[in-house]
């Protein structure tokens, strides 16, 4: 008997860490012992691996088996280590050549009959393996499309343990696995396409949506129900350009770790849209978990849109927890098992009714909310949170005449998205050589140095600063929006018109 080594990958948040799996089959009381900080799911691998090997007609060693996962100080979680443990035991038993399993990475959960089941987090695991150089990764057939997204990595898809063993023995490429046939009753229905032209009677809100998409700015919409706040928010992703390759890999990796990656389209090249219910907990929004830390809604909305409908109904501590990711573009979740950092750079869209009863005074409805009740209701959105919202828009009810007149001015999402793309290209050209791609990402220090608007253009803001109606953080937000308005207008720098419009957006007095 001997020792065999192979490799797998442990996930820490959305980062993959290489793990060396050693198997020692030697003298002693028969049994299998797993060491190296395994969690409960990984400890159960003993029974799964044994049943998979026996049912695949391979001998189970009647000896003491010790499985070591290195580095021992790194916590290992999940069932993706099943395949590497089985291969290491087969190598130590002489069933497969030990030299054939030393270099590849093995990922996958074993069924009791030897079938290889898909696991979550394959994309970040493959990215972690790719950091080791020229890598070969064996994955379940169901994860093959996701694994193939990583360039310069040889992906070997297998359907079961027997197919893998025969490949290791012969040294030949395994045959392409046959995908499981979908049940005859299963039918995938495409979600009806949404378009900005569906929203009529809200020209200011549509303009704010365009500015938000062009610069990546946060938006707050206040108005009675039925005025189109939700319709507008749902159409914001249709104005955003496709994700760049590096951003697409980031977004796909997060959704893979969360286990919500669509199997039909492993690469997410469109900005995500996440709209949690107002009963969601802080862990659901920010991320968390007891033993396994999972990404929350702010990370699932990375490079996309996070929409909080009925925002004042969310618990205040949940809303205030958004302040840190809004500033830094990432969120760190600390638990007893350790700290995990997830990316979280998103466009925040808040929607709120003017009062708890949501009755509109301008339509003659019977609203009985006092000014104190209204102030307390909207006060759930704290000042520090609203200070991080670039634009505030009042969405009022439109009369029949206004609706009819506005129909000739509505534009399709495609038309507006073209202007957004041009504005983003102008911003990207201006920000070339920096790590930022949109105006919303420019840090405060550079806003008042390299990207400071002319003194004439700063006059509307300086007067508000003197009057105390504009904070220092608010000044930064206004300057960023002014740059976006200049990009949409095709100007080289913001003028007084752009800064005044950006200031009115920030103060919520746009008309």
């Amino acid at each position: 008997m001997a020792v065999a080594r192979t490799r797998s990958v442990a996930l820490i948040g959305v980062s993959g860490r290489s793990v060396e799996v050693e198997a020692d089959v030697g003298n002693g009381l028969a049994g299998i012992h797993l060491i190296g900080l395994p969690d409960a799911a990984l400890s159960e691998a003993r029974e799964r691996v044994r049943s998979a090997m026996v049912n695949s007609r391979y001998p189970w060693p009647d000896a003491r088996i010790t499985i070591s996962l290195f580095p021992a100080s790194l916590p290992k979680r999940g069932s993706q280590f099943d395949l590497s443990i089985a291969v290491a035991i087969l190598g130590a038993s002489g069933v497969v050549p030990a030299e054939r399993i030393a270099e590849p990475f093995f990922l996958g959960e074993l069924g009791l009959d030897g079938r290889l089941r898909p696991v979550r987090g394959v994309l970040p695991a493959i990215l972690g393996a790719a950091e080791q150089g020229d890598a070969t990764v064996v994955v379940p057939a169901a994860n093959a499309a996701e694994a193939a997204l990583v360039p310069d990595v040889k992906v070997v898809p297998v359907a079961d343990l027997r197919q893998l063993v025969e490949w290791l023995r012969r040294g030949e490429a395994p045959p392409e696995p046959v995908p499981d046939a979908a049940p005859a009753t299963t039918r995938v229905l495409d979600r009806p396409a949404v378009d900005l032209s569906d929203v009529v009677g809200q020209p200011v809100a549509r303009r704010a949506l365009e500015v938000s998409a062009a610069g990546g700015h946060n938006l707050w919409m206040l108005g009675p129900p039925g005025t189109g706040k939700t319709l507008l928010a749902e159409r914001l992703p249709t104005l955003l350009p496709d994700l760049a390759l590096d951003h697409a890999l980031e977004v796909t990796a997060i959704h893979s770790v969360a286990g919500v990656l669509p199997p039909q389209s492993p690469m997410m090249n469109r900005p995500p849209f996440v709209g949690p219910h107002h009963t969601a907990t802080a862990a659901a929004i920010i991320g968390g978990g007891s033993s396994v830390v999972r990404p929350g809604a702010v990370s699932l909305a990375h490079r996309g849109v996070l929409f909080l409908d009925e925002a004042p109904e969310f618990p205040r501590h949940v809303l205030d927890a958004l302040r840190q990711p809004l500033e830094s573009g990432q969120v760190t979740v600390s638990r007893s098992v350790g700290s995990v950092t997830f990316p979280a750079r998103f466009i925040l869209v808040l929607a709120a009714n003017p009062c708890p009863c949501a009755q509109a005074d301008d339509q003659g409805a019977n609203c009985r909310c006092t000014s104190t009740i209204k102030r307390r209701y909207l006060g759930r959105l704290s000042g520090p949170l609203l200070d991080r919202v670039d634009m505030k828009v009042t969405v009022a009810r439109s009369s029949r005449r206004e609706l009819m007149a506005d129909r000739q001015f509505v534009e399709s999402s495609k038309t507006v998205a073209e202007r957004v793309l041009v504005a983003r290209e102008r911003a990207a050209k201006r920000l070339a050589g920096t790590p930022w791609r949109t105006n919303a990402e420019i840090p405060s220090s550079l806003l008042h140095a390299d990207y400071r608007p002319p003194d004439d253009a700063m006059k509307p803001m300086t007067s508000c600063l003197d009057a105390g109606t504009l904070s220092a953080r608010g000044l930064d937000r206004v300057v960023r929006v002014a740059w976006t308005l200049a990009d949409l207008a095709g100007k080289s720098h913001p003028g007084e018109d752009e800064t005044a419009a950006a200031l009115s957006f920030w103060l919520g007095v746009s008309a």
Side-chain angles (χ1 to χ4, degrees):
M1 300 297 181
V3 175
R5 298 178 178 85
T6 187
R7 295 192 290 180
S8 189
V9 181
L11 285 177
I12 307 298
V14 290
S15 302
R17 294 279 301 276
S18 176
V19 172
E20 186 177 276
V21 181
E22 294 180 299
D24 176 31
V25 179
N27 296 326
L29 187 63
I32 179 171
H33 305 274
L34 198 60
I35 58 177
L37 287 184
D39 70 342
L42 182 50
S43 297
E44 294 172 352
R46 296 177 253 203
E47 303 304 325
R48 291 194 298 269
V49 169
R50 184 182 185 279
S51 296
M53 287 179 57
V54 171
N55 291 326
S56 298
R57 303 296 187 268
Y58 297 116
W60 180 258
D62 186 17
R64 178 184 176 89
I65 304 173
T66 303
I67 304 296
S68 175
L69 306 175
F70 176 83
S73 59
L74 181 70
K76 290 84 176 179
R77 307 180 183 92
S79 57
Q80 70 268 19
F81 292 94
D82 287 6
L83 187 59
S84 58
I85 293 173
V87 168
I89 294 175
L90 290 169
S93 304
V95 178
V96 297
E99 64 275 7
R100 285 275 293 156
I101 65 173
E103 292 301 323
F105 292 83
F106 295 88
L107 297 169
E109 177 182 336
L110 284 171
L112 299 183
D113 57 354
R115 285 184 299 174
L116 207 54
R117 302 183 185 279
V119 294
R120 63 174 62 185
V122 165
L123 178 59
I126 302 292
L127 290 171
E131 295 177 358
Q132 305 300 316
D134 189 16
T136 299
V137 185
V138 178
V139 299
N143 291 127
E146 180 183 348
L149 298 175
V150 182
D152 302 325
V153 173
K154 180 182 179 182
V155 177
V156 181
V158 294
D160 53 51
L161 185 60
R162 175 165 288 277
Q163 184 187 55
L164 174 61
V165 170
E166 294 305 314
W167 171 65
L168 291 172
R169 283 174 170 174
R170 296 194 309 265
E172 301 172 357
E176 290 293 329
V178 179
D180 295 334
T185 57
T186 300
R187 183 184 177 190
V188 179
L189 298 177
D190 293 333
R191 184 179 178 182
V194 296
D195 197 274
L196 188 60
S197 60
D198 301 333
V199 186
V200 181
Q202 301 296 344
V204 175
R206 292 199 307 268
R207 174 62 173 172
L209 214 65
E210 179 180 350
V211 177
S212 175
H217 304 292
N218 303 321
L219 175 64
W220 179 34
M221 294 180 288
L222 177 67
T227 53
K229 301 187 297 294
T230 303
L231 290 178
L232 286 161
E234 290 176 344
R235 280 145 184 79
L236 179 54
T238 66
L239 308 183
L240 298 174
D242 290 341
L243 297 173
L245 179 59
D246 55 342
H247 290 174
L249 289 175
E250 286 180 359
V251 173
T252 305
I254 295 170
H255 285 71
S256 178
V257 169
V260 295
L261 192 64
Q264 298 86 0
S265 54
M267 172 70 89
M268 296 187 63
N269 59 0
R270 289 294 304 159
F273 178 85
V274 180
H277 194 261
H278 63 261
T279 57
T281 63
I285 300 296
I286 301 301
S290 55
S291 58
V292 180
V293 181
R294 300 293 185 197
V298 295
S299 297
L300 294 176
H302 181 59
R303 302 296 178 184
V305 179
L306 177 64
F307 174 49
L308 301 187
D309 199 4
E310 307 293 346
E313 299 293 342
F314 283 80
R316 180 158 183 168
H317 71 279
V318 174
L319 293 172
D320 286 340
L322 297 172
R323 288 151 55 179
Q324 186 257 338
L326 284 174
E327 286 292 334
S328 63
Q330 62 183 18
V331 60
T332 300
V333 181
S334 298
R335 295 292 184 269
S336 59
V337 295
S339 297
V340 177
T341 299
F342 295 106
R345 187 170 297 280
F346 53 89
I347 298 176
L348 176 64
V349 179
L350 302 172
N353 295 318
C355 63
C357 75
Q359 298 294 330
D361 290 330
D362 58 349
Q363 297 297 314
N366 188 19
C367 175
R368 298 182 179 180
C369 299
T370 64
S371 58
T372 302
I373 293 177
K374 294 179 181 180
R375 186 165 56 250
R376 186 182 299 119
Y377 178 72
L378 293 178
R380 299 178 187 176
L381 301 175
S382 65
L385 175 62
L386 292 181
D387 224 21
R388 291 167 169 82
V389 177
D390 305 12
M391 298 186 295
K392 307 170 184 69
V393 177
T394 300
V395 185
R397 294 188 187 274
S398 301
S399 65
R400 183 181 65 86
R401 179 173 297 179
E402 290 172 333
L403 290 173
M404 297 299 295
D406 190 44
R407 290 189 182 277
Q408 59 182 323
F409 298 105
V410 295
E411 296 176 299
S412 66
S413 292
K414 181 179 179 181
T415 301
V416 179
E418 291 174 353
R419 293 200 298 266
V420 168
L421 181 59
V422 172
R424 286 211 170 198
E425 289 175 347
R426 290 180 62 89
K429 184 178 180 180
R430 183 173 61 252
L431 298 172
T434 71
W436 313 293
R437 303 189 187 182
T438 61
N439 293 319
E441 301 175 24
I442 303 176
S444 175
S445 58
L446 291 183
L447 279 177
H448 303 289
D450 298 345
Y451 303 105
R452 179 181 174 85
D455 292 338
D456 292 343
M458 293 291 289
K459 288 181 179 179
M461 292 176 284
T462 54
S463 60
C464 287
L465 281 172
D466 295 337
T469 57
L470 184 65
S471 65
R473 183 187 290 118
L475 174 64
D476 295 343
R477 301 282 174 178
V478 172
V479 173
R480 293 186 181 106
V481 175
W483 272 108
T484 300
L485 291 170
D487 290 334
L488 287 169
K491 297 183 178 180
S492 59
H493 55 78
E496 188 172 351
D497 291 342
E498 284 72 34
T499 55
L503 181 62
S504 64
F505 270 130
W506 192 85
L507 295 173
V509 295
S510 304

